[in-house]
Amino acid sequence: MSMEALKRERIQLFKDAIIGDKKPERIPIFSNMWSWKILDAGYKLSEALNDYEILKKSLRHFYENYPADICHETGWRNPIQVTESMGNNAYIINDDQNSISIKDQCYMKPEDYDALISNPKKFLWETFLPRKFKYLKGSDSSDALRVGIQNYAKFGQFMGEVAQINEEFGIPDFFDPNGAILHWANGFEILFNMLRGIRGLSYDIRRNPDKVLAAIEAIDEVFAKPIMERTKGTPKGTNMNCSVDINPVLLAHTILSPKQFEKFYWPHFEKMIDYVTEEDKIVYIFAEGDSERFYDFFRQFPENRFALLVEQNDIFKMKKELPNLTVSGGMPVDLLGKATPKDCTDYAKKLIDELGYDGRYIFSEGKMISFPNDATRENLKATYEFVRDYRG
Amino acid sequence: MQYDAMTYPEGYEKAKQEELNFLPEDEAIRENVMLNFFLSILQF
């Protein structure tokens, strides 16, 4: 089979698993693979994150050894060449522990809300970015900005080369790059991940909920609305060159109660539901942390349009409670890291038999595979080969 | 040439023209790239 044909086959697997008109030929594999592949290829994190060539070699090594249908290389574990060039050193790489961590950055203060709300672009450009990137301070900031843009262009080139490697191995783009809603580009996630941090936003939603709501609206006007506008005029229907159309990542929901979720987050999903219904699109939600307390909301997602990957929840229970969704995840890294290949393939069989009997399951791990103990080579290879070959 | 790039809209617009001059002279394209850069470095 040609790589182009393999890519088409993989795209169809995801379409069938989510749209559900017919059962997919087999259960697709969404590899929840992150920095583990760098270590598995024999490199240190500090080497790889400073060298795009090593990252590309690591990706090739992964594809050559593990038959995943998608490996979501976003490059977002490797922005340090961009951030450090402008004077931000928030990433901490520990080669002894094989870990990358990032400080909970908070460069927006509670008293900045009014400035953010009145003119988000002005506040973020003039005030926020020079706080975050120390070389962007001062009247000669153009030199540092130029270097930052040049490094961003190199990062973009790297992502283009990742796309070429994907083509070589018959791996499709996972989501539509022209999709209407980017991963993080909604106001609440931006406040959480980029502006106020976990602690700051947790206080704000209690002390200044109206300002948080106004800030969400103002941020969406700047970042989400142009993206929505850009998609007007693109063809209706799911993009057959990608596995899914939209791939939102939920992280900020982890600090919310259901009542707070309804107020601060759900309006974003209501817009998304309207969009995907009108434009006939499909969505794969990557939900980090615990999501079970939001199932009453997720039941409102229209049938045959949404898949949901959960990390910390019982996926068998989710299958029963959310029959409107395609479920994804469930493979424990404890097994992949510590059990035998037989234990792993037995569990993968159970997942497929109990979750994929109707075709509405996408195999994946219940945790981002990052550390050496998250999987052994033998277990990962045996598991992916089993899922690829098993027909139920 | 040095200038104060971190003012809005003056520095932002100047940076868009000066630093993205490898792109076609199409305002929509340059604004889209600038916005992506802006959002990315907020996130990174």
Side-chain angles (χ1 to χ4, degrees):
Chain A
M1 183 187 288
S2 72
M3 287 301 132
E4 177 62 21
L6 181 58
K7 184 176 92 170
R8 295 283 151 209
E9 181 183 286
R10 285 170 161 155
I11 289 171
Q12 194 62 48
L13 293 174
F14 282 91
K15 303 293 187 196
D16 290 342
I18 298 175
I19 297 169
D21 286 345
K22 64 182 174 76
K23 278 180 77 171
E25 199 66 28
R26 63 174 172 83
I27 297 299
I29 303 170
F30 175 95
S31 179
N32 200 350
M33 173 54 60
W34 301 86
S35 49
W36 185 91
K37 65 180 180 292
I38 295 169
L39 307 169
D40 185 54
Y43 298 105
K44 293 179 182 174
L45 295 176
S46 59
E47 294 172 329
L49 299 189
N50 285 296
D51 189 336
Y52 293 128
E53 290 303 317
I54 290 180
L55 279 178
K56 287 189 291 181
K57 285 179 188 170
S58 303
L59 187 61
R60 280 181 189 283
H61 173 83
F62 179 73
Y63 288 150
E64 283 162 358
N65 287 283
Y66 309 99
D69 296 306
I70 287 292
C71 174
H72 207 1
E73 178 54 70
T74 64
W76 291 357
R77 282 291 176 97
N78 184 45
I80 65 171
Q81 294 182 58
V82 181
T83 55
E84 291 187 353
S85 71
M86 292 186 290
N88 178 283
N89 299 91
Y91 286 87
I92 303 159
I93 301 169
N94 184 330
D95 282 328
D96 293 330
Q97 311 235 341
N98 295 308
S99 67
I100 317 163
S101 51
I102 186 165
K103 297 169 189 167
D104 184 25
Q105 304 179 79
C106 180
Y107 300 102
M108 176 184 157
K109 300 168 187 169
E111 56 268 30
D112 291 329
Y113 266 100
D114 288 338
L116 173 73
I117 292 162
S118 81
N119 190 335
K121 264 181 146 175
K122 184 176 176 65
F123 167 74
L124 294 171
W125 191 260
E126 286 190 350
T127 306
F128 183 87
L129 288 181
R131 284 181 191 163
K132 179 173 178 180
F133 299 100
K134 61 187 176 189
Y135 301 156
L136 294 182
K137 291 186 178 118
S139 58
D140 56 355
S141 52
S142 59
D143 284 347
L145 186 71
R146 187 173 305 121
V147 170
I149 288 176
Q150 287 166 354
N151 278 297
Y152 184 67
K154 286 179 190 167
F155 174 78
Q157 186 181 340
F158 161 68
M159 291 308 295
E161 289 162 354
V162 165
Q164 286 174 6
I165 294 171
N166 287 346
E167 289 282 335
E168 287 172 34
F169 288 90
I171 303 288
D173 283 343
F174 186 54
F175 61 89
D176 186 349
N178 294 312
I181 299 159
L182 289 179
H183 292 42
W184 303 97
N186 76 76
F188 195 74
E189 289 287 356
I190 287 175
L191 279 170
F192 178 82
N193 289 289
M194 308 178 201
L195 306 184
R196 291 289 292 136
I198 298 168
R199 189 172 172 180
L201 191 58
S202 297
Y203 281 125
D204 298 344
I205 58 177
R206 291 165 177 82
R207 292 175 179 168
N208 293 304
D210 291 342
K211 293 211 173 186
V212 173
L213 286 172
I216 291 170
E217 193 177 332
I219 293 167
D220 281 348
E221 188 71 18
V222 173
F223 293 113
K225 193 175 173 185
I227 296 166
M228 291 290 285
E229 292 290 325
R230 196 175 69 198
T231 63
K232 284 184 181 169
T234 57
K236 279 193 179 185
T238 186
N239 185 335
M240 291 307 293
N241 292 314
C242 318
S243 303
V244 303
D245 299 298
I246 304 171
N247 175 215
V249 178
L250 268 74
L251 184 55
H253 69 310
T254 51
I255 65 165
L256 297 175
S257 68
K259 197 171 176 184
Q260 290 163 337
F261 184 82
E262 181 175 25
K263 186 172 188 171
F264 295 109
Y265 213 129
W266 185 243
H268 171 68
F269 274 120
E270 288 181 318
K271 288 180 202 161
M272 192 186 298
I273 289 170
D274 288 345
Y275 173 78
V276 301
T277 305
E278 285 168 17
E279 299 296 324
D280 191 17
K281 304 292 185 186
I282 62 172
V283 182
Y284 183 100
I285 298 172
F286 189 108
E288 298 190 37
D290 175 10
S291 300
E292 190 169 331
R293 63 189 181 279
F294 308 115
Y295 283 0
D296 281 344
F297 295 97
F298 296 165
R299 278 189 201 96
Q300 298 174 51
F301 288 137
E303 286 186 7
N304 305 331
R305 296 203 182 281
F306 283 76
L308 176 64
L309 179 143
V310 290
E311 280 198 325
Q312 293 179 7
N313 303 113
D314 179 342
I315 197 164
F316 299 102
K317 188 176 175 191
M318 181 171 88
K319 176 82 175 177
K320 287 183 186 134
E321 297 203 3
L322 298 173
N324 53 323
L325 303 184
T326 294
V327 299
S328 185
M331 188 68 204
V333 294
D334 282 351
L335 280 183
L336 287 171
K338 294 173 187 159
T340 65
K342 173 88 170 49
D343 292 336
C344 292
T345 55
D346 284 351
Y347 199 84
K349 181 177 185 304
K350 173 182 164 71
L351 287 168
I352 295 172
D353 288 345
E354 295 185 24
L355 304 172
Y357 61 87
D358 57 357
R360 306 195 65 215
Y361 173 57
I362 295 169
F363 179 87
S364 192
E365 297 84 359
K367 178 179 172 294
M368 297 165 86
I369 303 184
S370 307
F371 301 103
N373 289 342
D374 288 342
T376 67
R377 289 176 178 176
E378 297 73 22
N379 286 351
L380 197 67
K381 189 173 169 61
T383 303
Y384 283 7
E385 286 177 349
F386 172 80
V387 177
R388 179 195 62 191
D389 298 336
Y390 185 56
R391 293 295 182 273
Chain B
M1 181 183 61
Q2 287 186 332
Y3 57 94
D4 186 356
M6 302 314 291
T7 57
Y8 187 87
E10 300 82 4
Y12 179 91
E13 291 299 327
K14 193 169 177 62
K16 197 162 66 180
Q17 297 314 318
E18 297 287 330
E19 315 311 337
L20 299 182
N21 58 11
F22 56 91
L23 295 171
E25 279 193 48
D26 181 311
E27 169 58 22
I29 291 173
R30 290 191 180 190
E31 175 58 19
N32 188 32
V33 172
M34 197 69 175
L35 209 56
N36 281 340
F37 170 71
F38 193 176
L39 186 58
S40 294
I41 64 171
L42 284 174
Q43 176 183 328
F44 288 174

